[in-house]
Amino acid sequence: MAKIDLYTMLGSTGLSRWGGNIYEEWLPDLQGVKATRVYREMADNDPIIGAILFAIRMLCRQVPWRVDAAGASNADREAARFLEECIHDTSHSWQDFISEVLSMLVYGYSVFEIVYKRRLGDNQDPRKRSKYNDGRIGWRKFSIRSQDSIQEWIFDEEGGIQGIRQVAPPDYKLREIPIEKLLLFRTESMKNSPQGRSMLRNCYKPWYFKKNIETIEGIGVERDLAGLPVVWVPPNVANPSTDAETTVLNAFKSLVTKIRRDQQEGIVMPLAYDEEGNKLYDIQLLSTGGRRQFDTSTIIQRYNTQIAQTVLADFIMLGTQKVGSFALASSKTELFAVAIGAFLDEIEAVLNTHAVPRLFKLNEFKIEKYPELRHGDIESISLEELSNFISRLAMAGMPLFPNKELEKYLLEVANLPSEGIEE
């Protein structure tokens, strides 16, 4: 048996791709550019999906971020202070950046180009403008590369992601950006697919049926309120034998299908009678014959619930159905918060694995480990429950104070000033 080379990859992830395009999706309407358009319509046009995404964005925007030093040395503290300065020295707010990262929930992934700058104080050149004037290299901005502008992915021979090719407005030039300049955020990394998987994928079916039922419902409501238009024409026009009769028939067909009850309503009819004095042309509105056999409200409500359930957000339906206890709502929101926390964990991991090391390699710091970014909790901690927990620890004999880190944490949780606590 031949000797195995431990440093050479022999297999493959099995990612279905051709060139720089991914073909993992089996539904044609959700492949390539079509998927981007469909997911955008779902996010922008559906009230339930929009409410869910709004809740996630607002919850994530209010989550605090901090920097943890890698050690207790002065060099480690200086590195942590530098990283803290960098996240607040960009041309956009940190909350706006996190909000844009969350576009990965809609499309499955989001890509950002890291743009650096030299920190030279209040400079006219944006590549040098900074709150600080120490000459170090910091982050200028994390600039999103929109999902609908990415033409294809660049892979190496082993299937590793090496960059993107982008065609974007306003000039629509082909641009190639290496992975060393990018941050790739994904909802999941099955088969190391750079496109991840949209959070909206599982709710596509109920959304699709709901969308069509709402369209039919709208047409039905309009017809019920306005009546069904019927045009009466002479037999020779109904069965045309000449071009003139065909033209007249088509004109009346267009008229009857375009009747709408709005501020511009009105019909112009020819005044024509036969030899016996009967009208040759007439138009009438037939009223509805009664209720429909299906309650579309119940059907749409069912699809709304299914959409919310796919992302563990069905708690937003509590109350609309006149059922659900406080305990049920609490457990559902807690599960939803855990899921959002997992997305924040993914964002945190990408930043600490790629963004932070690249930043420190551009600057001279004599440290063995890099400081790390850490996100806070989605939900606020109950001060009553926290105080009871601390009291029980103290009663059990655990020494709590003095502990500068614990004191600072407790004050921050209670939204009280902690600047006076020396670390």
PDB file of all heavy atoms in Angstrom, residues 131-150:
ATOM      1  N   LYS A 131     -10.028  59.706  14.350  1.00  0.00           N
ATOM      2  CA  LYS A 131     -10.128  60.376  15.651  1.00  0.00           C
ATOM      3  C   LYS A 131      -8.773  60.387  16.359  1.00  0.00           C
ATOM      4  O   LYS A 131      -8.599  61.116  17.346  1.00  0.00           O
ATOM      5  CB  LYS A 131     -11.144  59.660  16.534  1.00  0.00           C
ATOM      6  CG  LYS A 131     -12.570  59.645  15.994  1.00  0.00           C
ATOM      7  CD  LYS A 131     -13.476  58.840  16.921  1.00  0.00           C
ATOM      8  CE  LYS A 131     -14.890  58.751  16.381  1.00  0.00           C
ATOM      9  NZ  LYS A 131     -15.763  57.912  17.246  1.00  0.00           N
ATOM     10  N   TYR A 132      -7.850  59.563  15.876  1.00  0.00           N
ATOM     11  CA  TYR A 132      -6.557  59.395  16.539  1.00  0.00           C
ATOM     12  C   TYR A 132      -5.436  59.775  15.575  1.00  0.00           C
ATOM     13  O   TYR A 132      -5.584  59.717  14.355  1.00  0.00           O
ATOM     14  CB  TYR A 132      -6.404  57.947  17.024  1.00  0.00           C
ATOM     15  CG  TYR A 132      -7.585  57.489  17.836  1.00  0.00           C
ATOM     16  CD1 TYR A 132      -8.638  56.796  17.233  1.00  0.00           C
ATOM     17  CD2 TYR A 132      -7.674  57.764  19.190  1.00  0.00           C
ATOM     18  CE1 TYR A 132      -9.745  56.387  17.975  1.00  0.00           C
ATOM     19  CE2 TYR A 132      -8.773  57.364  19.938  1.00  0.00           C
ATOM     20  CZ  TYR A 132      -9.805  56.670  19.318  1.00  0.00           C
ATOM     21  OH  TYR A 132     -10.893  56.285  20.052  1.00  0.00           O
ATOM     22  N   ASN A 133      -4.307  60.139  16.139  1.00  0.00           N
ATOM     23  CA  ASN A 133      -3.183  60.616  15.331  1.00  0.00           C
ATOM     24  C   ASN A 133      -1.899  59.909  15.749  1.00  0.00           C
ATOM     25  O   ASN A 133      -0.918  60.540  16.124  1.00  0.00           O
ATOM     26  CB  ASN A 133      -3.035  62.136  15.489  1.00  0.00           C
ATOM     27  CG  ASN A 133      -2.088  62.737  14.473  1.00  0.00           C
ATOM     28  OD1 ASN A 133      -1.702  62.080  13.507  1.00  0.00           O
ATOM     29  ND2 ASN A 133      -1.689  63.981  14.696  1.00  0.00           N
ATOM     30  N   ASP A 134      -1.940  58.582  15.696  1.00  0.00           N
ATOM     31  CA  ASP A 134      -0.777  57.797  16.108  1.00  0.00           C
ATOM     32  C   ASP A 134      -0.063  57.123  14.948  1.00  0.00           C
ATOM     33  O   ASP A 134       0.920  56.404  15.152  1.00  0.00           O
ATOM     34  CB  ASP A 134      -1.187  56.750  17.143  1.00  0.00           C
ATOM     35  CG  ASP A 134      -2.339  55.878  16.672  1.00  0.00           C
ATOM     36  OD1 ASP A 134      -2.653  55.905  15.461  1.00  0.00           O
ATOM     37  OD2 ASP A 134      -2.937  55.179  17.506  1.00  0.00           O
ATOM     38  N   GLY A 135      -0.576  57.303  13.715  1.00  0.00           N
ATOM     39  CA  GLY A 135       0.076  56.723  12.546  1.00  0.00           C
ATOM     40  C   GLY A 135      -0.190  55.252  12.343  1.00  0.00           C
ATOM     41  O   GLY A 135       0.280  54.658  11.358  1.00  0.00           O
ATOM     42  N   ARG A 136      -0.942  54.637  13.225  1.00  0.00           N
ATOM     43  CA  ARG A 136      -1.255  53.218  13.051  1.00  0.00           C
ATOM     44  C   ARG A 136      -2.286  53.015  11.940  1.00  0.00           C
ATOM     45  O   ARG A 136      -2.949  53.965  11.512  1.00  0.00           O
ATOM     46  CB  ARG A 136      -1.791  52.638  14.365  1.00  0.00           C
ATOM     47  CG  ARG A 136      -0.727  52.445  15.430  1.00  0.00           C
ATOM     48  CD  ARG A 136      -1.341  52.023  16.745  1.00  0.00           C
ATOM     49  NE  ARG A 136      -0.324  51.681  17.726  1.00  0.00           N
ATOM     50  CZ  ARG A 136      -0.563  51.524  19.016  1.00  0.00           C
ATOM     51  NH1 ARG A 136      -1.798  51.698  19.491  1.00  0.00           N
ATOM     52  NH2 ARG A 136       0.425  51.212  19.843  1.00  0.00           N
ATOM     53  N   ILE A 137      -2.412  51.789  11.504  1.00  0.00           N
ATOM     54  CA  ILE A 137      -3.382  51.440  10.460  1.00  0.00           C
ATOM     55  C   ILE A 137      -4.630  50.886  11.125  1.00  0.00           C
ATOM     56  O   ILE A 137      -4.562  49.934  11.919  1.00  0.00           O
ATOM     57  CB  ILE A 137      -2.796  50.402   9.480  1.00  0.00           C
ATOM     58  CG1 ILE A 137      -1.581  50.989   8.757  1.00  0.00           C
ATOM     59  CG2 ILE A 137      -3.854  49.965   8.464  1.00  0.00           C
ATOM     60  CD1 ILE A 137      -0.863  50.011   7.854  1.00  0.00           C
ATOM     61  N   GLY A 138      -5.765  51.509  10.815  1.00  0.00           N
ATOM     62  CA  GLY A 138      -7.032  51.070  11.394  1.00  0.00           C
ATOM     63  C   GLY A 138      -8.054  50.767  10.313  1.00  0.00           C
ATOM     64  O   GLY A 138      -7.769  50.830   9.110  1.00  0.00           O
ATOM     65  N   TRP A 139      -9.251  50.439  10.752  1.00  0.00           N
ATOM     66  CA  TRP A 139     -10.338  50.178   9.809  1.00  0.00           C
ATOM     67  C   TRP A 139     -10.976  51.497   9.370  1.00  0.00           C
ATOM     68  O   TRP A 139     -11.391  52.303  10.206  1.00  0.00           O
ATOM     69  CB  TRP A 139     -11.407  49.300  10.448  1.00  0.00           C
ATOM     70  CG  TRP A 139     -10.970  47.894  10.683  1.00  0.00           C
ATOM     71  CD1 TRP A 139     -10.209  47.114   9.866  1.00  0.00           C
ATOM     72  CD2 TRP A 139     -11.297  47.067  11.817  1.00  0.00           C
ATOM     73  NE1 TRP A 139     -10.024  45.868  10.411  1.00  0.00           N
ATOM     74  CE2 TRP A 139     -10.684  45.813  11.610  1.00  0.00           C
ATOM     75  CE3 TRP A 139     -12.042  47.280  12.970  1.00  0.00           C
ATOM     76  CZ2 TRP A 139     -10.803  44.770  12.516  1.00  0.00           C
ATOM     77  CZ3 TRP A 139     -12.156  46.250  13.887  1.00  0.00           C
ATOM     78  CH2 TRP A 139     -11.549  45.002  13.659  1.00  0.00           C
ATOM     79  N   ARG A 140     -11.050  51.689   8.071  1.00  0.00           N
ATOM     80  CA  ARG A 140     -11.783  52.847   7.552  1.00  0.00           C
ATOM     81  C   ARG A 140     -13.265  52.522   7.456  1.00  0.00           C
ATOM     82  O   ARG A 140     -14.117  53.313   7.868  1.00  0.00           O
ATOM     83  CB  ARG A 140     -11.226  53.245   6.190  1.00  0.00           C
ATOM     84  CG  ARG A 140     -11.983  54.371   5.517  1.00  0.00           C
ATOM     85  CD  ARG A 140     -11.391  54.657   4.149  1.00  0.00           C
ATOM     86  NE  ARG A 140     -12.276  55.490   3.351  1.00  0.00           N
ATOM     87  CZ  ARG A 140     -12.112  55.717   2.059  1.00  0.00           C
ATOM     88  NH1 ARG A 140     -11.082  55.169   1.409  1.00  0.00           N
ATOM     89  NH2 ARG A 140     -12.958  56.484   1.406  1.00  0.00           N
ATOM     90  N   LYS A 141     -13.576  51.349   6.912  1.00  0.00           N
ATOM     91  CA  LYS A 141     -14.965  50.908   6.834  1.00  0.00           C
ATOM     92  C   LYS A 141     -15.015  49.448   6.409  1.00  0.00           C
ATOM     93  O   LYS A 141     -14.052  48.901   5.855  1.00  0.00           O
ATOM     94  CB  LYS A 141     -15.776  51.753   5.840  1.00  0.00           C
ATOM     95  CG  LYS A 141     -15.244  51.740   4.418  1.00  0.00           C
ATOM     96  CD  LYS A 141     -16.085  52.654   3.535  1.00  0.00           C
ATOM     97  CE  LYS A 141     -15.498  52.763   2.134  1.00  0.00           C
ATOM     98  NZ  LYS A 141     -16.297  53.664   1.269  1.00  0.00           N
ATOM     99  N   PHE A 142     -16.143  48.827   6.673  1.00  0.00           N
ATOM    100  CA  PHE A 142     -16.476  47.509   6.139  1.00  0.00           C
ATOM    101  C   PHE A 142     -17.566  47.746   5.094  1.00  0.00           C
ATOM    102  O   PHE A 142     -18.707  48.035   5.436  1.00  0.00           O
ATOM    103  CB  PHE A 142     -16.985  46.575   7.237  1.00  0.00           C
ATOM    104  CG  PHE A 142     -15.979  46.324   8.324  1.00  0.00           C
ATOM    105  CD1 PHE A 142     -16.048  46.999   9.533  1.00  0.00           C
ATOM    106  CD2 PHE A 142     -14.954  45.409   8.140  1.00  0.00           C
ATOM    107  CE1 PHE A 142     -15.129  46.776  10.540  1.00  0.00           C
ATOM    108  CE2 PHE A 142     -14.023  45.182   9.141  1.00  0.00           C
ATOM    109  CZ  PHE A 142     -14.109  45.863  10.341  1.00  0.00           C
ATOM    110  N   SER A 143     -17.205  47.646   3.841  1.00  0.00           N
ATOM    111  CA  SER A 143     -18.110  48.020   2.743  1.00  0.00           C
ATOM    112  C   SER A 143     -18.752  46.770   2.142  1.00  0.00           C
ATOM    113  O   SER A 143     -18.046  45.874   1.661  1.00  0.00           O
ATOM    114  CB  SER A 143     -17.332  48.782   1.666  1.00  0.00           C
ATOM    115  OG  SER A 143     -18.201  49.276   0.674  1.00  0.00           O
ATOM    116  N   ILE A 144     -20.082  46.729   2.181  1.00  0.00           N
ATOM    117  CA  ILE A 144     -20.785  45.546   1.693  1.00  0.00           C
ATOM    118  C   ILE A 144     -20.659  45.430   0.180  1.00  0.00           C
ATOM    119  O   ILE A 144     -20.610  46.439  -0.545  1.00  0.00           O
ATOM    120  CB  ILE A 144     -22.278  45.588   2.101  1.00  0.00           C
ATOM    121  CG1 ILE A 144     -22.946  44.230   1.829  1.00  0.00           C
ATOM    122  CG2 ILE A 144     -23.022  46.715   1.385  1.00  0.00           C
ATOM    123  CD1 ILE A 144     -24.330  44.107   2.416  1.00  0.00           C
ATOM    124  N   ARG A 145     -20.588  44.212  -0.295  1.00  0.00           N
ATOM    125  CA  ARG A 145     -20.624  43.906  -1.725  1.00  0.00           C
ATOM    126  C   ARG A 145     -21.933  43.144  -1.946  1.00  0.00           C
ATOM    127  O   ARG A 145     -22.032  41.960  -1.629  1.00  0.00           O
ATOM    128  CB  ARG A 145     -19.406  43.079  -2.148  1.00  0.00           C
ATOM    129  CG  ARG A 145     -18.073  43.807  -1.889  1.00  0.00           C
ATOM    130  CD  ARG A 145     -17.983  45.078  -2.710  1.00  0.00           C
ATOM    131  NE  ARG A 145     -16.836  45.929  -2.358  1.00  0.00           N
ATOM    132  CZ  ARG A 145     -16.946  47.097  -1.792  1.00  0.00           C
ATOM    133  NH1 ARG A 145     -18.157  47.547  -1.448  1.00  0.00           N
ATOM    134  NH2 ARG A 145     -15.884  47.838  -1.540  1.00  0.00           N
ATOM    135  N   SER A 146     -22.930  43.869  -2.456  1.00  0.00           N
ATOM    136  CA  SER A 146     -24.306  43.365  -2.479  1.00  0.00           C
ATOM    137  C   SER A 146     -24.408  42.017  -3.185  1.00  0.00           C
ATOM    138  O   SER A 146     -23.698  41.741  -4.168  1.00  0.00           O
ATOM    139  CB  SER A 146     -25.232  44.377  -3.154  1.00  0.00           C
ATOM    140  OG  SER A 146     -24.853  44.583  -4.491  1.00  0.00           O
ATOM    141  N   GLN A 147     -25.328  41.207  -2.679  1.00  0.00           N
ATOM    142  CA  GLN A 147     -25.476  39.847  -3.199  1.00  0.00           C
ATOM    143  C   GLN A 147     -25.863  39.816  -4.675  1.00  0.00           C
ATOM    144  O   GLN A 147     -25.442  38.917  -5.402  1.00  0.00           O
ATOM    145  CB  GLN A 147     -26.522  39.089  -2.373  1.00  0.00           C
ATOM    146  CG  GLN A 147     -26.097  38.767  -0.953  1.00  0.00           C
ATOM    147  CD  GLN A 147     -26.311  39.911   0.027  1.00  0.00           C
ATOM    148  OE1 GLN A 147     -26.658  41.028  -0.372  1.00  0.00           O
ATOM    149  NE2 GLN A 147     -26.111  39.660   1.304  1.00  0.00           N
ATOM    150  N   ASP A 148     -26.655  40.793  -5.121  1.00  0.00           N
ATOM    151  CA  ASP A 148     -27.082  40.786  -6.523  1.00  0.00           C
ATOM    152  C   ASP A 148     -25.999  41.285  -7.472  1.00  0.00           C
ATOM    153  O   ASP A 148     -26.189  41.261  -8.688  1.00  0.00           O
ATOM    154  CB  ASP A 148     -28.356  41.623  -6.704  1.00  0.00           C
ATOM    155  CG  ASP A 148     -28.181  43.050  -6.208  1.00  0.00           C
ATOM    156  OD1 ASP A 148     -27.088  43.377  -5.702  1.00  0.00           O
ATOM    157  OD2 ASP A 148     -29.135  43.828  -6.333  1.00  0.00           O
ATOM    158  N   SER A 149     -24.860  41.740  -6.931  1.00  0.00           N
ATOM    159  CA  SER A 149     -23.767  42.204  -7.792  1.00  0.00           C
ATOM    160  C   SER A 149     -22.646  41.186  -7.923  1.00  0.00           C
ATOM    161  O   SER A 149     -21.726  41.381  -8.724  1.00  0.00           O
ATOM    162  CB  SER A 149     -23.191  43.519  -7.244  1.00  0.00           C
ATOM    163  OG  SER A 149     -22.488  43.294  -6.026  1.00  0.00           O
ATOM    164  N   ILE A 150     -22.705  40.103  -7.147  1.00  0.00           N
ATOM    165  CA  ILE A 150     -21.646  39.089  -7.200  1.00  0.00           C
ATOM    166  C   ILE A 150     -21.914  38.157  -8.382  1.00  0.00           C
ATOM    167  O   ILE A 150     -22.909  37.429  -8.399  1.00  0.00           O
ATOM    168  CB  ILE A 150     -21.572  38.304  -5.881  1.00  0.00           C
ATOM    169  CG1 ILE A 150     -21.200  39.255  -4.741  1.00  0.00           C
ATOM    170  CG2 ILE A 150     -20.555  37.175  -5.987  1.00  0.00           C
ATOM    171  CD1 ILE A 150     -21.172  38.606  -3.376  1.00  0.00           C
TER     172      ILE A 150
END
